[in-house]
Amino acid sequence: DARVTQTPRDKVTEMGQEVTMRCQPILGHNTVFWYRQTMMQGLELLAYFRNRAPLDDSGMPKDRFSAEMPDATLATLKIQPSEPRDSAVYFCASGLWVAGVETQYFGPGTRLLVL
Amino acid sequence: GNSVTQMEGPVTLSEEAFLTINCTYTATGYPSLFWYVQYPGEGLQLLLKATKADDKGSNKGFEATYRKETTSFHLEKGSVQVSDSAVYFCALMDSGSNYKLTFGKGTLLTVNP
């Protein structure tokens, strides 16, 4: 049963520290998404990759957030420096896009708390 | 732009009650529609989907019909169980948004024994 994996599952850090979240998409999937979930804002799309190329990162604060796919089996989301307002659950999702509709499969999330 | 509006929760039902969660959408193109479910402490899971008008998606006793004339995709289940307690998200995807998912705010369902 193929699944998206995310590490760490939980992260507590202090304001100003760098945070790196990792995601392993389902083997064979060619799209990766990063979402942030908070009570106030709900689910927000931060970044979107297809075939490892960034397609859209308009939802991401550019001054402190960065998303990359070093290879097809790893996606990373970094926050530097972190701030208390970054506290949220961060989800990675992957999918197989073939000229149209795809289903996104979500990982279990990384729960981030910035003190 | 695209948007999804869901009925506000929380929704509390007794076991075996009938469930409806309303969802309406606004889209620039011809979207595909989805319902995702999030159990406590977990990520979202696809529950069902429909890709064109009048399609009915179904899974685990849940159903939703793509109604283009009313721009709606209401989720229904005839008899809910305690294990259905979760947050339900309606979402759309279309080519006009480069195939990104647009989510509603979610509806918390609690089913009591």
Side-chain angles (χ1 to χ4, degrees):
Chain A
D1 188 18
R3 298 187 180 202
V4 176
T5 57
Q6 290 185 246
T7 56
R9 291 295 308 275
D10 289 279
K11 176 73 176 179
V12 180
T13 191
E14 293 187 347
M15 183 173 63
Q17 296 299 305
E18 177 178 302
V19 175
T20 298
M21 291 170 269
R22 293 177 174 80
C23 167
Q24 182 172 6
I26 293 172
L27 190 64
H29 281 187
N30 60 355
T31 58
V32 171
F33 304 80
W34 283 105
Y35 293 91
R36 176 169 63 184
Q37 185 178 41
T38 61
M39 290 295 292
M40 293 299 295
Q41 301 296 328
L43 273 163
E44 303 172 276
L45 178 66
L46 297 176
Y48 168 19
F49 291 80
R50 186 182 298 161
N51 297 320
R52 294 178 56 203
L55 279 194
D56 189 336
D57 60 2
S58 59
M60 202 164 63
K62 303 289 192 303
D63 55 338
R64 299 183 299 108
F65 284 61
S66 62
E68 295 180 348
M69 281 201 73
D71 61 59
T73 64
L74 177 65
T76 62
L77 179 67
K78 290 186 182 181
I79 308 174
Q80 169 63 16
S82 58
E83 297 181 2
R85 60 182 167 144
D86 301 329
S87 298
V89 182
Y90 291 80
F91 289 105
C92 174
S94 73
L96 179 62
W97 187 88
V98 182
V101 177
E102 64 177 302
T103 297
Q104 295 183 22
Y105 295 85
F106 282 72
T110 293
R111 188 179 305 269
L112 174 66
L113 177 60
V114 183
L115 302 173
Chain B
N2 296 339
S3 67
V4 175
T5 302
Q6 290 181 236
M7 64 185 285
E8 290 193 16
V11 174
T12 302
L13 296 173
S14 297
E15 208 164 21
E16 299 184 2
F18 184 86
L19 168 71
T20 299
I21 301 178
N22 289 339
C23 171
T24 57
Y25 67 88
T26 302
T28 53
Y30 297 95
S32 295
L33 302 173
F34 303 79
W35 277 101
Y36 279 82
V37 58
Q38 185 178 27
Y39 298 103
E42 298 184 10
L44 279 71
Q45 302 175 23
L46 178 67
L47 181 59
L48 52 84
K49 68 180 180 183
T51 58
K52 61 182 186 297
D54 299 324
D55 269 2
K56 177 187 284 189
S58 61
N59 186 25
K60 299 180 181 180
F62 291 88
E63 293 183 340
T65 301
Y66 188 144
R67 301 286 187 200
K68 189 166 181 288
E69 64 275 14
T70 54
T71 61
S72 65
F73 193 54
H74 305 321
L75 182 68
E76 296 182 336
K77 186 174 185 183
S79 176
V80 293
Q81 305 300 311
V82 173
S83 57
D84 294 327
S85 298
V87 180
Y88 292 82
F89 292 90
C90 185
L92 71 82
M93 176 191 292
D94 78 340
S95 59
S97 63
N98 203 16
Y99 299 102
K100 295 186 295 186
L101 273 174
T102 300
F103 285 95
K105 291 193 179 296
T107 302
L108 173 63
L109 170 67
T110 301
V111 180
N112 295 318

